[in-house]
Amino acid sequence: MSKDEYVQLNKEVLGSWLTVNRICNFRCKWCYAEGTRYTSEDSMSLELARNLIDFQAEIGVKEVLLIGGEPTLWKYLFEALDLISQRGMKSTMITNGVLLANENFLEKLSLSGIGNIVISLKSGNERQHEKTTGTSKFNEVKKALRNINKLGLKASCSITVNSLLLNNLQEILEVAAENGAQLMGLNFCTTTFQDGVPQKGFMPDPRDIVEKVVENFDEMVKTMNGNISISQSLPLCLWPQSFLEELERQNIITYGCHIQKRNGLIFDSKGNVLVCSCLYDFPIGTFGKDFKNASSFKEFWLSEEVADIYDRIITYPSKSCIECSKYKICGGGCPLHWFVNKPEHIIPQLNMEL
């Protein structure tokens, strides 16, 4: 990819992720950040958070997502949300929801300028919850959903579809709907890393994901009254075309990710820039060192070095992708898949037109 092409793809960063900590009160078996060891010392300082929020406002970021670890355990959460709101940006927090079972905590959160709260669901029943998270907090998660509705906030949920949850997605959606969830997002488990080594972990075969989602989708849509969304990160050639067309008609599918679109920016708790949250051991730059304001960031973000990093991550996984008419929106699926899967075993080996 030439620098001119890269610049054209990078007109603006629309969204940004702040990884505010690594500590977590769950131990989800498929967690992309398991290799960080969940240390409580790995937490963003208030000074760094303030500087990063000011910087993001300066470069025109529209939405800041707070992730962890578990962001509700971060001691500067309320201050950061106030700062984001003051700078005219929208905030979204991704959480396991446990602390939101405490009505006082949630009310304080609602007064701090929070935009969206997304509860990441880990199970469809208490027994499964203990198996997948190592905790007995299933009822607290359900209560959190009910509490969010009490305060008049929008209760959104997400499921990371993995091999432990693949066979009871409908049950999980029913739990969400029964407790007031107004929106459900599905995303698909990808590669994790341990000491820099890619692990397949709890990634299902992509073809199994397609089969289960297609099989259960009508019932899932009915359960959520149509308020469901799929973040599509698999090769599109695995899906029935008629199914994709229906999802597009209903406007309940998004394609690609910020890596392919070059419109997202991820900071870890130390201010390092990550290409992907899963690649937490491979920073590509650091706030305050490689850039500190809008002008120096533009130079960094559009540099040949950064363009080369993205270029090496986003490559055609298969010869079948080269002439595919859908490649621009598909990108061959999440590039992390190919750290552990062989494209020739997943992608149909022919130059197909969808």
Side-chain angles (χ1 to χ4, degrees):
M1 179 184 295
S2 70
K3 185 175 180 180
D4 288 342
E5 290 174 318
Y6 187 75
V7 169
Q8 188 65 28
L9 284 168
N10 285 273
K11 291 184 177 179
E12 58 181 338
V13 173
L14 299 179
S16 181
W17 289 257
L18 288 186
T19 309
V20 299
N21 60 7
R22 291 299 186 186
I23 190 173
C24 188
N25 44 7
F26 279 12
R27 291 295 182 268
C28 302
K29 294 181 180 298
W30 59 86
C31 181
Y32 70 86
E34 183 181 15
T36 65
R37 310 313 197 261
Y38 307 110
T39 173
S40 59
E41 290 75 23
D42 194 349
S43 180
M44 185 176 289
S45 70
L46 181 58
E47 180 183 7
L48 177 58
R50 182 182 293 110
N51 290 337
L52 287 174
I53 290 167
D54 287 345
F55 163 74
Q56 289 167 104
E58 182 185 0
I59 66 173
V61 166
K62 308 299 182 185
E63 180 177 10
V64 180
L65 287 85
L66 303 183
I67 59 175
E70 172 49 45
T72 59
L73 299 175
W74 185 43
K75 63 180 179 179
Y76 303 120
L77 174 62
F78 303 114
E79 292 91 335
L81 289 170
D82 282 333
L83 289 169
I84 293 168
S85 179
Q86 290 169 18
R87 296 308 305 265
M89 295 180 289
K90 180 181 177 182
S91 62
T92 293
M93 181 178 68
I94 315 299
T95 174
N96 60 36
V98 169
L99 265 66
L100 307 188
N102 183 315
E103 293 185 21
N104 291 332
F105 182 93
L106 183 57
E107 185 172 3
K108 186 176 179 181
L109 187 64
S110 70
L111 295 173
S112 66
I114 186 73
N116 292 325
I117 301 171
V118 180
I119 295 183
S120 178
L121 298 180
K122 319 295 185 182
S123 66
N125 57 71
E126 192 165 359
R127 182 177 179 182
Q128 184 180 46
H129 195 84
E130 292 182 2
K131 179 180 178 181
T132 58
T133 71
T135 75
S136 57
K137 301 294 184 180
F138 183 63
N139 289 329
E140 282 86 342
V141 175
K142 293 192 294 182
K143 185 178 179 182
L145 285 170
R146 298 194 297 271
N147 285 347
I148 292 172
N149 277 313
K150 279 184 185 178
L151 285 178
L153 299 173
K154 186 175 182 179
S156 299
C157 295
S158 68
I159 302 173
T160 297
V161 179
N162 58 75
S163 58
L164 296 177
L165 306 183
L166 186 59
N167 291 320
N168 70 320
L169 293 177
Q170 177 59 25
E171 180 186 23
I172 300 172
L173 264 72
E174 288 172 359
V175 167
E178 289 167 1
N179 288 279
Q182 299 171 45
L183 178 66
M184 175 62 72
L186 300 182
N187 56 77
F188 306 132
C189 184
T190 188
T191 313
T192 58
F193 291 81
Q194 288 284 351
D195 298 321
V197 179
Q199 310 287 328
K200 191 165 186 177
F202 293 89
M203 291 172 60
D205 186 302
R207 292 161 296 192
D208 292 338
I209 294 176
V210 170
E211 180 182 354
K212 286 294 183 182
V213 171
V214 172
E215 176 185 330
N216 294 290
F217 197 72
D218 287 345
E219 192 65 27
M220 290 194 292
V221 169
K222 182 180 178 181
T223 300
M224 295 304 302
N225 294 316
N227 297 312
I228 193 167
S229 174
I230 293 181
S231 297
Q232 208 304 114
S233 59
L234 305 177
L236 285 181
C237 53
L238 300 182
W239 298 90
Q241 183 170 347
S242 59
F243 182 74
L244 290 177
E245 290 173 351
E246 179 61 21
L247 297 187
E248 291 171 356
R249 187 188 68 79
Q250 296 185 48
N251 195 31
I252 54 178
I253 188 169
T254 58
Y255 293 112
C257 72
H258 69 93
I259 298 179
Q260 294 162 334
K261 299 173 184 177
R262 316 297 212 277
N263 63 357
L265 184 61
I266 301 175
F267 289 103
D268 71 9
S269 62
K270 305 304 180 187
N272 297 312
V273 177
L274 307 177
V275 174
C276 174
S277 295
C278 296
L279 297 172
Y280 49 80
D281 277 341
F282 305 97
I284 63 172
T286 305
F287 176 78
K289 178 181 177 182
D290 298 292
F291 60 91
K292 58 182 179 180
N293 52 35
S295 59
S296 57
F297 173 72
K298 183 177 181 180
E299 183 178 349
F300 160 78
W301 193 237
L302 302 181
S303 67
E304 292 183 3
E305 291 80 6
V306 171
D308 181 63
I309 291 170
Y310 277 92
D311 202 33
R312 283 186 281 122
I313 291 176
I314 303 176
T315 59
Y316 291 109
S318 168
K319 290 181 180 179
S320 301
C321 299
I322 295 174
E323 297 180 10
C324 178
S325 62
K326 293 287 188 178
Y327 184 76
K328 284 188 177 180
I329 63 171
C330 168
C334 173
L336 298 189
H337 281 304
W338 314 122
F339 281 90
V340 295
N341 286 323
K342 292 184 177 181
E344 60 268 27
H345 294 168
I346 305 295
I347 299 175
Q349 294 302 295
L350 47 103
N351 290 327
M352 60 187 303
E353 292 286 321
L354 293 179

